């Protein structure tokens, strides 16, 4: 047998430049995943602590209610405490009008020195006849005008 003169070309290995080193990528991913978990859990943990503190403050406020306290409910109602029971509180919302509410609706206790009632200033000299008014006033009639003269004057207007 004769050997064939076919020559087999020798190929050289050319490394693929698009091929990434998977060992380095795996190491980066292994470090990124725990870091991502920590980045998500830390704010959630801090938020839970903040909510627990706010709930404890609200519970302490509701437990410290006493008769005569001025309070604001979660509905925005301003009232005075007249009776405190285990789960409920009676609030006076107007003179002689008492309603029963759950203690949980009390949002805040107003300071004792607040005066919500309107008090007129002592000096009313700045307020006079020239102040604007929405009321429609009839023109003032002269003091010596008769009934017939008044009727004629009003008919003209």
């Amino acid at each position: 047998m004769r050997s064939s003169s076919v020559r087999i070309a020798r190929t050289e290995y050319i490394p693929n430049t698009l091929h990434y080193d998977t060992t380095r990528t795996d190491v980066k991913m292994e470090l990124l995943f725990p870091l991502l978990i920590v980045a998500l859990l830390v704010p959630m943990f801090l938020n839970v602590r903040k909510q627990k503190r706010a709930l404890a403050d609200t519970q302490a406020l509701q437990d410290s209610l006493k008769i005569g306290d001025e309070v604001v409910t979660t509905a925005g109602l301003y009232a005075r405490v007249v009776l405190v029971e285990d789960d409920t509180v009676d609030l006076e919302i107007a003179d002689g009008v008492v309603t029963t509410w759950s203690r949980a609706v009390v949002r805040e206790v107003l300071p004792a020195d607040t005066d919500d009632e309107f008090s007129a200033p002592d000096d009313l000299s700045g307020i006079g006849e020239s102040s604007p008014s929405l009321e429609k006033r009839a023109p003032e009639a002269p003091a010596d005008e008769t009934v017939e003269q008044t009727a004629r004057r009003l008919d003209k207007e």
Side-chain angles (χ1 to χ4, degrees):
M1 290 194 92
R2 240 173 125 198
S3 83
S4 145
S5 66
V6 176
R7 198 171 135 166
I8 300 175
R10 194 169 173 206
T11 59
E12 292 183 29
Y13 175 72
I14 301 173
N16 186 354
T17 56
L18 297 176
H19 177 72
Y20 295 108
D21 187 8
T22 58
T23 57
R24 293 178 101 183
T25 306
D26 290 343
V27 170
K28 289 179 185 176
M29 290 302 284
E30 287 176 6
L31 294 176
L32 183 65
F33 187 67
L35 185 63
L36 182 65
I37 296 296
V38 168
L40 292 175
L41 290 179
V42 166
M44 190 170 65
F45 175 72
L46 294 176
N47 193 24
V48 167
R49 287 185 55 203
K50 185 177 174 183
Q51 286 178 344
K52 282 184 180 180
R53 189 178 317 120
L55 184 63
D57 291 345
T58 303
Q59 188 67 37
L61 175 117
Q62 291 168 355
D63 289 341
S64 69
L65 289 177
K66 58 187 180 299
I67 295 175
D69 282 346
E70 299 280 330
V71 297
V72 180
T73 67
T74 55
L77 180 73
Y78 287 75
R80 179 177 292 118
V81 176
V82 292
L83 179 66
V84 178
E85 294 179 349
D86 291 337
D87 294 333
T88 61
V89 61
D90 287 356
L91 301 177
E92 183 178 30
I93 57 176
D95 291 334
V97 181
V98 178
T99 57
T100 302
W101 295 72
S102 170
R103 278 183 131 178
V105 302
V106 177
R107 183 178 64 194
E108 68 179 290
V109 176
L110 297 175
D113 60 318
T114 12
D115 187 17
D116 289 339
E117 294 183 20
F118 174 75
S119 59
D122 294 334
D123 182 21
L124 297 177
S125 62
I127 300 174
E129 290 295 322
S130 64
S131 64
S133 174
L134 296 177
E135 294 179 14
K136 191 172 185 179
R137 295 182 187 173
E140 293 187 24
D144 58 346
E145 186 177 55
T146 64
V147 176
E148 292 83 19
Q149 291 172 334
T150 304
R152 277 194 300 260
R153 182 178 50 85
L154 291 176
D155 286 340
K156 289 178 187 177
E157 294 175 5

